[in-house]
């Protein structure tokens, strides 16, 4: 077990031969075996998603990483004598990982049972919980698409968080900046919004007025003479299938004569709110029924949030808090994990990425449907809803926004606090609605910490004040 295995991989590739190299992308090694020896290497950074120096603090390990005890500029070779200080540095690096693995083995018993990645821990727990729940499996199967074209469209319209600077505020010191941050942005939308609940089917709608709220849509669209209305810009250049005569702001589109893009209905709604354009044309549109995520999944998310909140800062519960927090933070990642990727191969000389054939993609999609665990389309809509929550507030505060990052806004003094207050009232109303619709306890959305303070999911909360703030861009 090695933290940041890629570094050891680069060193060992000149000494030994590998087999069964597992990597999602070239050089991003998760595990490998040695060809001539019965030894498997695994990366504990992928397993924990935490830097080595932070592991002891998070999991209350007995050994600390000795930061700063090794001079990396010094040239060493096989006959270089190491000082006691240097040896201690190396030893502690190994002991930190040893103690972390020993902690996990209390639950997983054997190394072969340990998940390879940080999302694997929560995935394993949820799978065990739902192993005999056939109604959950049947409902989830309906939401899993087995059409290769739909899968490609879902990949095209999937976008992550919005990270961007207001270009008018970039590269200068801004006085008195306040930060607001969503409380658990992704879990909140997973609990309160509705998602694709059937396979997508083609329809012939031609304009936005024909879009009905009870459906989710994938829309392949062209815009002509499009231009952003605000100081902040939103459409990502990299997500456009084509752009003619575009003008850009740090990877975001200011204007263009023409763009072609694939969007969810949520993203389409926001583009209509934030851009002017001469006309648009729907090239293809696909629809799916819309519904809440399965109640069992919602209850699992609430359980993780409740545990994380109640364990925080409680003496004797430090390890439980760390484990529950890690699982809670991995819930979204688990939902959007896409296992249908190009084959990544290392032949002991170079890396190769071989695209899957259409037949291979169909086989993998059918396998996912048969398993009935999670639908990739859910993850696509999670980020769409979360982006809309952030950006719909951002455009109301446009000139006061200095910087934004996925679930937070940095705001210059003078902004209208009522916009945030109104949004927070809307969050509480949505929570009440889902509790009423699914017969859930509202207390589970608002657990108390050890001091009795309520932590409501989804609120835009004060997250700090900067006397001076400076951004150089995304």
């Amino acid at each position: 077990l090695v933290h940041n295995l890629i570094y050891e991989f680069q060193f060992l590739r000149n000494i030994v031969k590998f087999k069964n190299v597992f990597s999602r992308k070239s050089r991003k090694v998760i595990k490998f075996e040695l060809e001539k020896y019965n030894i498997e290497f695994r990366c504990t950074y992928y397993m924990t998603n935490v830097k080595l120096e932070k592991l002891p603090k998070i999991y209350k390990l007995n050994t600390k990483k000795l930061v700063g005890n090794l001079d990396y500029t010094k040239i060493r070779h096989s006959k270089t004598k190491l000082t006691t200080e240097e040896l201690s540095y190396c030893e502690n690096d190994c002991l930190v990982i040893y103690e972390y693995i020993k902690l996990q083995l209390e639950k997983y018993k054997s190394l072969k049972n340990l998940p390879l990645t940080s999302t694997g821990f929560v995935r394993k727990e949820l799978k065990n919980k739902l192993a005999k729940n056939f109604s959950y499996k049947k409902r989830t199967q309906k939401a899993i698409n087995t059409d290769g074209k739909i899968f490609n469209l879902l990949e095209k319209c999937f976008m992550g968080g919005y990270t961007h600077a207001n270009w008018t505020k970039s590269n200068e010191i801004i006085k008195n900046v306040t930060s607001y941050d969503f409380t658990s942005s992704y879990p909140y939308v997973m609990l309160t919004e509705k998602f694709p609940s059937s396979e997508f089917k083609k329809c012939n709608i031609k304009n936005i007025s024909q879009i009905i709220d009870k459906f989710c849509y994938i829309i392949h669209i062209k815009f002509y003479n499009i231009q952003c209305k605000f100081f902040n810009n939103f459409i990502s250049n990299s997500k456009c299938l084509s752009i003619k005569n575009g003008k850009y702001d740090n990877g975001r589109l200011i204007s263009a004569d023409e763009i072609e893009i694939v969007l969810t209905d949520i993203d389409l709604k926001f583009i209509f709110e934030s851009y002017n354009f001469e006309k648009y044309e729907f090239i293809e549109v696909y629809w799916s029924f819309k519904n809440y995520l399965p109640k069992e999944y919602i209850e699992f998310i609430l359980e993780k949030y409740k545990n994380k909140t109640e364990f925080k800062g409680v003496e004797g519960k430090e390890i439980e808090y760390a484990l529950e927090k890690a699982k809670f933070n991995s819930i979204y990642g688990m939902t959007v994990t896409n296992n249908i990727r190009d084959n990544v191969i290392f032949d002991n000389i170079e890396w190769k990425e071989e695209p899957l054939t259409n037949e291979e993609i169909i086989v993998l999609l059918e396998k996912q449907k048969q398993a009935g665990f999670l639908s990739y389309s859910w993850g696509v809509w999670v980020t769409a809803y979360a982006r809309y929550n952030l950006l719909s507030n951002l455009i109301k505060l446009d000139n006061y926004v200095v910087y934004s990052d996925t679930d937070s806004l940095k705001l210059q003094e003078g902004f209208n606090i009522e916009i945030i207050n109104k949004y927070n009232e809307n969050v509480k109303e949505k929570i009440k609605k889902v509790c009423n619709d699914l017969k859930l306890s509202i207390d589970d959305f608002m657990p108390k910490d050890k001091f009795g303070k309520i932590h409501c999911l989804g609120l835009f909360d004060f997250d700090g004040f900067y006397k001076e703030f400076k951004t150089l861009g995304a």
Side-chain angles (χ1 to χ4, degrees), residues 195-458:
F195 295 83
S197 60
S198 65
E199 290 199 48
F200 279 91
K201 295 178 181 177
K202 194 169 185 177
C203 60
N204 294 315
I205 67 174
K206 297 298 179 186
N207 62 67
I208 195 166
S209 64
Q210 294 174 290
I211 287 177
I212 301 169
D213 188 51
K214 68 178 182 180
F215 301 125
C216 293
Y217 295 88
I218 300 171
I219 301 135
H220 184 179
I221 187 170
K222 269 189 181 180
F223 289 99
Y224 299 89
N225 293 326
I226 187 168
Q227 182 162 11
C228 190
K229 301 176 186 178
F230 301 97
F231 290 110
N232 293 275
N233 299 286
F234 309 103
I235 297 172
S236 175
N237 307 347
S238 63
K239 296 306 294 185
C240 293
L241 304 180
S242 66
I243 303 174
K244 288 184 181 176
N245 298 325
K247 292 181 181 176
Y248 310 109
D249 162 26
N250 198 193
R252 303 282 172 175
L253 191 77
I254 300 171
S255 65
D257 291 348
E258 183 185 306
I259 68 165
E260 187 176 339
I261 192 168
V262 180
L263 301 165
T264 66
D265 53 291
I266 311 302
D267 294 308
L268 181 70
K269 179 185 174 186
F270 180 72
I271 287 177
F272 268 73
E273 292 173 7
S274 57
Y275 281 81
N276 291 317
F277 42 85
E278 186 182 308
K279 62 176 181 174
Y280 65 91
E281 174 193 350
F282 284 180
I283 297 168
E284 280 187 313
V285 182
Y286 295 83
W287 66 273
S288 164
F289 284 111
K290 182 192 282 189
N291 206 345
Y292 291 116
L293 294 179
K295 187 176 179 181
E296 298 91 338
Y297 191 22
I298 285 174
E299 288 172 335
F300 180 77
I301 298 169
L302 288 170
E303 177 194 318
K304 296 292 131 195
Y305 181 59
K306 189 167 183 272
N307 289 347
K308 177 184 86 93
T309 305
E310 292 179 351
F311 291 160
K312 187 173 183 179
V314 176
E315 194 173 341
K317 291 284 186 181
E318 294 88 354
I319 292 172
E320 288 89 341
Y321 168 71
L323 294 171
E324 290 297 292
K325 182 183 177 183
K327 287 175 186 174
F328 180 71
N329 291 343
S330 297
I331 283 171
Y332 155 72
M334 169 182 68
T335 307
V336 82
T337 299
N338 177 12
N339 292 320
I340 301 174
R341 296 170 176 266
D342 294 346
N343 289 317
V344 181
I345 299 162
F346 181 72
D347 61 6
N348 282 297
I349 298 171
E350 61 181 358
W351 288 96
K352 296 173 185 174
E353 293 193 20
E354 295 180 353
L356 295 172
T357 64
N358 289 337
E359 291 74 19
E360 287 173 322
I361 290 171
I362 297 300
V363 167
L364 289 169
L365 288 171
E366 291 286 359
K367 193 176 176 182
Q368 282 187 4
K369 195 174 188 74
Q370 191 176 2
F373 180 53
L374 295 169
S375 171
Y376 175 64
S377 65
W378 295 347
V380 175
W381 258 256
V382 168
T383 56
Y385 281 124
R387 270 193 315 278
Y388 186 82
N389 288 344
L390 181 80
L391 298 179
S392 60
N393 283 287
L394 187 154
I395 59 177
K396 293 171 189 170
L397 298 161
D398 182 42
N399 194 37
Y400 295 97
V401 176
V402 180
Y403 190 79
S404 55
D405 185 359
T406 308
D407 62 356
S408 68
L409 294 176
K410 314 295 182 193
L411 301 166
Q412 195 170 8
E413 64 180 335
F415 67 92
N416 184 0
I417 189 67
E418 283 308 308
I419 290 167
I420 288 170
N421 291 340
K422 188 175 179 181
Y423 174 80
N424 284 344
E425 288 304 312
N426 186 50
V427 166
K428 291 173 184 174
E429 289 304 313
K430 275 197 167 183
I431 289 172
K432 285 179 188 173
K433 185 177 186 311
V434 73
C435 287
N436 185 56
D437 290 348
L438 298 180
K439 305 294 183 285
L440 297 164
S441 169
I442 200 164
D443 292 340
D444 291 339
F445 288 79
M446 305 177 183
K448 294 177 181 177
D449 64 18
K450 68 171 187 174
F451 302 109
K453 182 183 175 184
I454 291 172
H455 293 263
C456 179
L457 265 166

